């Protein structure tokens, strides 16, 4: 793809000429936030575009980060079947409370993420719930691709290079909130599946195909960090990642009248802890 | 209900428990040799090339473990990097224990049980309220130990990540069902890790009494650091 912003069209030897040149340039790319969000080219089915709070397409090898209120619904959409979203969520009230994949797998007695699965912190609370999932191919074991892995696989892991690691992108997203790599726990990855064989082998099941999505509801105010980089076990020798669509709109946090609230005794206590914490904090 | 004015009872190991303190996994000069009491935490720097042996003295006693690069603790053990690099969900002999940058911190050079866990995470007072109920919130837990021990090294809640669970058995079944089941260890069984660089090893001798991770009988662990004899340079 040609990107016209790299092309010099004329001599720009005055502020006025530079300003005119900047303003005359194209304002669309395939990877951009849409503002206002209602201008999204692909509104989520069943959602009034006017209700959208955020709309963005994250580039392959790109990242984004959102600060969202309790009750926000976030849709991640894999347009072409090649997106790979490594996600870290942190409580924006206290960023030391963040995604704990071990508790996220242990408390529901289930290693594989899917609809209804809570994303738990290490503090006995639900940070977000997966409320819808049309993919079913996810992974909470391998995390985001690491720097050393991408250097070995592709020769480079830097965010400015052709093959950024998921972890390098998460560090960039974290830095925008004053956070460092200390604040990045193991990530959950969406749209690329891994299954554990009887002998422990991590079997690649990859993508469910184009046009799937995962919806998360924020159960507390969150900072959401998202890297869109190939899964470390993706067997393709090239660095392949597709565009990732992100929408967000106002919804509501899980409450006692939601079927998922009491899906299991462990989850019910997790939601009770979360609601008590939110109400005590005046949310 | 009667009021008590003492700390609630702490779990202790049963009289008559079989204890086997075993010996270091590799020969060499003993740099450190510490017993880790039930419920207690422990940490030390293990220098590059030295071998850390952990002995399951009483059998089926979970030793929750975090590892940090000694020169910069923001580089620390990463369960996902460790698993992705080896393509297997279980830790065993030969597993390279990698950091959040994917770099080797330690290598498992000896292991006397079928497999070791790094998926199950640490127990905590908070997660105990989910798993067993709020009546367990008063009980001590591994996360408390990590925070207490980590304070020695300037580590805080920001530094707690998915850990290793030496001697704990967490199978992942075909449908993804995962949980802590009866252990495969026995008194005197060992795991040994060689430091690939200078690291801080933090151990919590797990106080959990609500699941089989400690065989419902908390027993001591023995931590030994050995410096293998090297050929003269
Ligand atoms: Zn424990």
């Amino acid at each position: 793809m040609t990107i016209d912003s790299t092309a010099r069209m004329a001599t720009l030897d005055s502020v006025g000429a530079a300003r005119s040149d900047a303003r005359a340039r194209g304002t669309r790319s395939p990877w951009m936030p849409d503002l206002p969000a209602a201008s999204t080219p692909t509104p989520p089915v069943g959602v009034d575009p006017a209700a959208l709070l955020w709309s963005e397409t994250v580039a392959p090898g790109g990242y984004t980060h959102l600060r969202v209120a309790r009750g926000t619904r976030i849709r991640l959409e894999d347009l072409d079947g090649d997106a790979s979203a490594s996600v870290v969520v942190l409580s924006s009230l206290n960023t030391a409370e963040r995604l704990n994949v071990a508790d996220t797998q242990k408390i529901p007695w289930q290693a594989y993420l899917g609809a209804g699965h809570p994303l738990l912190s290490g503090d006995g609370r639900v940070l977000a719930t997966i409320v819808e999932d049309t993919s079913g191919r996810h992974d909470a074991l391998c995390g985001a691709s690491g720097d050393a892995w991408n250097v070995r696989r592709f020769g480079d892991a830097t965010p400015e290079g052709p093959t950024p690691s998921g972890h390098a992108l998460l560090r960039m997203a974290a830095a925008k909130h004053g956070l460092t790599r200390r604040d990045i726990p193991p990530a959950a990855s969406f749209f690329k599946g891994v299954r554990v064989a009887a002998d422990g082998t991590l079997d690649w099941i990859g993508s469910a195909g184009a046009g799937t999505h995962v919806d998360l509801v924020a159960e507390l105010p969150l900072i959401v960090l998202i890297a869109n980089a190939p899964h470390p076990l993706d067997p393709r020798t090239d660095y392949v990642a597709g565009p990732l669509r992100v929408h967000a709109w106002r919804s509501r946090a899980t409450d006692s009248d939601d079927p998922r609230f009491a899906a299991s005794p462990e989850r019910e206590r997790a939601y009770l802890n979360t609601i008590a914490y939110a109400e005590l904090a005046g949310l | 209900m009667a009021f008590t004015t003492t700390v609630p009872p702490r779990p202790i190991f049963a009289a008559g428990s079989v204890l086997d303190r075993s010996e270091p996994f590799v020969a060499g000069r003993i740099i450190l040799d510490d017993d880790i009491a039930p419920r207690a935490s422990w940490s030390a720097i293990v220098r590059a090339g030295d071998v850390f042996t952990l002995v399951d003295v009483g059998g089926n006693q979970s030793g929750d473990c975090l590892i940090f690069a000694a020169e910069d603790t923001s580089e620390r053990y990463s369960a996902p990097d460790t698993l992705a690099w080896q393509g297997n969900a279980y830790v065993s002999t030969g597993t390279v224990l990698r950091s959040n940058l994917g770099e080797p911190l330690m290598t498992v050079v000896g292991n006397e049980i079928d497999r070791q866990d790094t998926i199950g995470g640490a127990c905590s007072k908070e997660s105990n309220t989910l798993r067993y109920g709020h009546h367990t919130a008063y009980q001590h837990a591994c996360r408390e130990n990590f925070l207490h021990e980590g304070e020695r090294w300037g580590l805080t809640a920001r530094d707690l990540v998915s850990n290793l669970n030496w001697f704990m058995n967490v199978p992942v079944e075909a449908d993804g069902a995962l949980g802590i089941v009866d252990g495969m260890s026995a008194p005197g069984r060992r795991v040994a890790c060689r430091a690939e660089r200078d690291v801080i090893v933090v151990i919590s001798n797990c106080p959990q009494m609500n699941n089989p991770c400690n065989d419902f009988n908390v027993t001591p662990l023995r931590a030994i650091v050995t410096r293998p004899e090297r050929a003269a340079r």
Side-chain angles (χ1 to χ4, degrees):
Chain A
M1 175 170 299
T2 311
I3 298 176
D4 78 341
S5 60
T6 62
R8 167 174 288 276
M9 309 299 238
T11 302
L12 303 176
D13 57 358
S14 71
V15 171
R19 183 175 59 206
S20 297
D21 177 79
R23 288 177 175 171
R25 287 172 178 268
T27 57
R28 297 293 307 169
S29 85
W31 319 285
M32 62 185 291
D34 310 298
L35 287 110
S39 69
T40 177
T42 59
V45 174
V47 178
D48 177 5
L52 291 173
L53 300 172
W54 191 249
S55 168
E56 179 177 6
T57 307
V58 181
Y63 70 91
T64 191
H65 50 95
L66 308 173
R67 191 177 278 261
V68 304
R70 169 169 157 84
T72 306
R73 184 159 173 153
I74 304 158
R75 173 164 296 183
L76 307 180
E77 193 174 354
D78 179 8
L79 294 177
D80 69 351
D82 277 324
S84 179
S86 293
V87 175
V88 167
V89 288
L90 308 94
S91 164
S92 64
L93 301 175
N94 166 22
T95 53
E97 177 170 7
R98 73 273 176 104
L99 177 66
N100 181 313
V101 293
D103 284 355
T104 292
Q105 295 176 305
K106 179 169 60 179
I107 303 302
W109 302 83
Q110 176 53 248
Y112 305 142
L113 305 179
H117 207 114
L119 301 183
L120 290 153
S121 74
D123 295 86
R125 291 185 279 266
V126 188
L127 293 174
T129 306
I130 301 174
V131 292
E132 205 168 296
D133 172 24
T134 65
S135 163
R137 307 270 185 108
H138 313 300
D139 170 43
L141 294 168
C142 296
S145 55
D147 284 11
W149 182 263
N150 275 32
V151 167
R152 191 185 71 151
R153 281 292 299 277
F154 307 114
D156 190 57
T158 59
E160 79 276 17
T163 57
S165 74
H167 195 259
L169 297 170
L170 288 174
R171 296 201 300 275
M172 297 306 300
K176 301 297 171 65
H177 299 269
L179 304 173
T180 75
R181 67 190 188 196
R182 289 176 70 192
D183 302 295
I184 303 175
S189 294
F190 295 104
F191 307 121
K192 291 291 180 289
V194 167
R195 294 293 178 265
V196 182
D199 66 354
T201 300
L202 296 171
D203 288 331
W204 172 253
I205 60 169
S207 171
T212 66
H213 68 262
V214 169
D215 287 7
L216 305 175
V217 162
E219 305 287 0
L220 286 174
L222 298 180
I223 295 171
V224 183
L225 312 178
I226 304 171
N228 184 22
H231 188 284
L233 296 193
D234 192 324
R236 292 175 287 188
T237 51
D238 291 335
Y239 185 100
V240 181
L244 176 72
R245 290 287 291 149
V246 180
H247 285 105
W249 61 96
R250 177 79 62 244
S251 180
R252 56 166 224 161
T254 300
D255 207 345
S256 56
D257 56 358
D258 288 304
R260 61 181 178 271
F261 178 87
S264 72
E266 295 86 4
R267 293 178 208 200
E268 180 169 359
R269 290 189 285 260
Y271 286 115
L272 285 170
N273 284 353
T274 309
I275 291 167
Y277 180 83
E279 290 186 345
L280 197 54
L283 298 173
Chain B
M1 186 181 287
F3 292 101
T4 59
T5 55
T6 54
V7 173
R10 308 290 198 187
I12 53 170
F13 64 92
S17 299
V18 175
L19 301 179
D20 177 354
R21 298 183 70 252
S22 191
E23 57 187 32
F25 194 83
V26 297
R29 184 155 69 90
I30 304 294
I31 305 297
L32 264 175
D33 186 353
D34 293 330
D35 287 336
I36 311 175
R39 308 188 306 272
S41 58
W42 176 93
S43 62
I45 290 183
V46 180
R47 298 290 175 192
D50 288 0
V51 174
F52 169 74
T53 300
L54 190 68
V55 181
D56 186 2
V57 173
N60 290 322
Q61 175 59 42
S62 180
D64 293 40
C65 177
L66 289 171
I67 306 166
F68 299 85
E71 80 274 15
D72 177 0
T73 57
S74 73
E75 184 172 3
R76 71 279 309 275
Y77 176 69
S78 167
D81 284 276
T82 297
L83 299 185
W85 273 81
Q86 72 170 10
N88 194 288
Y90 304 122
V91 172
S92 194
T93 305
T95 297
V96 178
L97 306 176
R98 291 183 183 271
S99 75
N100 53 341
L101 300 180
E103 302 292 346
L105 293 172
M106 303 184 91
T107 301
V108 181
V109 294
N111 172 39
E112 295 179 329
I113 68 171
D114 285 3
R115 57 169 189 255
Q116 306 277 1
D117 170 68
T118 193
I119 301 173
C123 69
S124 71
K125 295 164 80 80
E126 295 80 14
S127 69
N128 278 349
T129 72
L130 310 188
R131 301 162 76 191
Y132 310 110
H134 290 92
H135 64 293
T136 61
Y138 76 93
Q139 296 172 0
H140 190 56
C142 286
R143 193 162 184 258
E144 305 290 299
N145 271 340
F146 282 149
L147 291 170
H148 174 71
E149 193 69 29
E151 204 179 8
R152 285 180 59 193
W153 308 96
L155 303 171
T156 72
R158 294 170 68 196
D159 302 295
L160 301 190
V161 290
S162 295
N163 54 289
L164 292 145
N165 289 302
W166 303 121
F167 312 119
M168 193 167 99
N169 187 11
V170 184
V172 180
E173 298 177 352
D175 61 355
L178 161 152
I180 300 164
V181 302
D182 281 341
M184 302 177 290
S185 187
R189 298 283 179 91
R190 298 169 294 180
V191 67
C193 303
R194 181 184 64 235
E196 302 300 347
R197 54 207 280 200
D198 292 357
V199 293
I200 300 168
V201 176
V202 184
I203 298 285
S204 166
N205 191 341
C206 179
Q208 182 65 265
M209 287 293 279
N210 301 289
N211 73 49
C213 72
N214 304 321
D215 214 9
F216 300 95
N217 183 30
V218 293
T219 47
L221 297 166
R222 180 184 179 191
I224 311 158
V225 177
T226 312
R227 184 156 301 162
E229 308 299 340
R230 290 193 180 85
R233 294 177 194 183

